[in-house]
Amino acid sequence: MLGDLPVEDARSRLADEKVYEIHYPTVRNLPNLMRNFGLARRVLAAERPDIVFSTGAAIALPFFTQARFFGARTVYLEPVDRISSPGLSGQLVYPFADEFLVQWERMREFYPGARNVGVVL
C-alpha cells in the first residue's frame, strides 16, 4: 500500500511489488473509510496473510477489524512521536490488536497490556 511518500517516489520504489492503493484521504473521511473496509476485505481474502502489521496508519482500522475472519493475527506499533498521548488510530485499533506495541513506557498508561519495545527507527 502506498503511504505518505511522494507518489512518484513510491511508485518507483514499489515497481516490482504487488501494490493495493487505498482510498485517500483516510483521516476522518467517512466515505473513504467505508471504501477501505471493502478494500480490506478483498485484500485479506486474496492474500490470506498470517499477520497484519501497522505502524500507525489510519488504514489499520479496516484491516484490523476484519483480520480475524481471515485467520490473521494483528500487531500494531504506536508511532514514535506518540510520547505522552495516544493517537487516534491506536485508540481505534487497540481493541482489535492481538499485540499492541508502544515505543515509550508512558504510553502503557493508555494501553494496558501493551508491550514497550523501545524506540524503533
Side-chain angles (χ1 to χ4, degrees), residues 5-40:
L5 289 174
V7 174
E8 291 308 313
D9 183 45
R11 288 188 197 287
S12 67
R13 290 179 190 218
L14 299 171
D16 297 326
E17 303 292 332
K18 187 179 219 176
V19 174
Y20 296 96
E21 292 194 38
I22 64 173
H23 301 279
Y24 276 98
T26 57
V27 178
R28 295 174 178 88
N29 185 301
L30 190 55
N32 285 344
L33 176 65
M34 299 315 293
R35 288 182 191 102
N36 286 327
F37 268 98
L39 175 68

Side-chain angles (χ1 to χ4, degrees), residues 64-105:
F64 273 44
T65 56
Q66 299 179 75
R68 285 196 183 125
F69 297 116
F70 295 95
R73 291 183 37 81
T74 54
V75 179
Y76 187 85
L77 175 64
E78 184 79 324
V80 70
D81 63 343
R82 290 297 173 183
I83 297 170
S84 60
S85 65
L88 179 60
S89 293
Q91 292 176 68
L92 292 173
V93 302
Y94 179 69
F96 304 101
D98 291 308
E99 186 155 10
F100 200 94
L101 310 173
V102 295
Q103 299 185 55
W104 303 99
E105 187 62 29

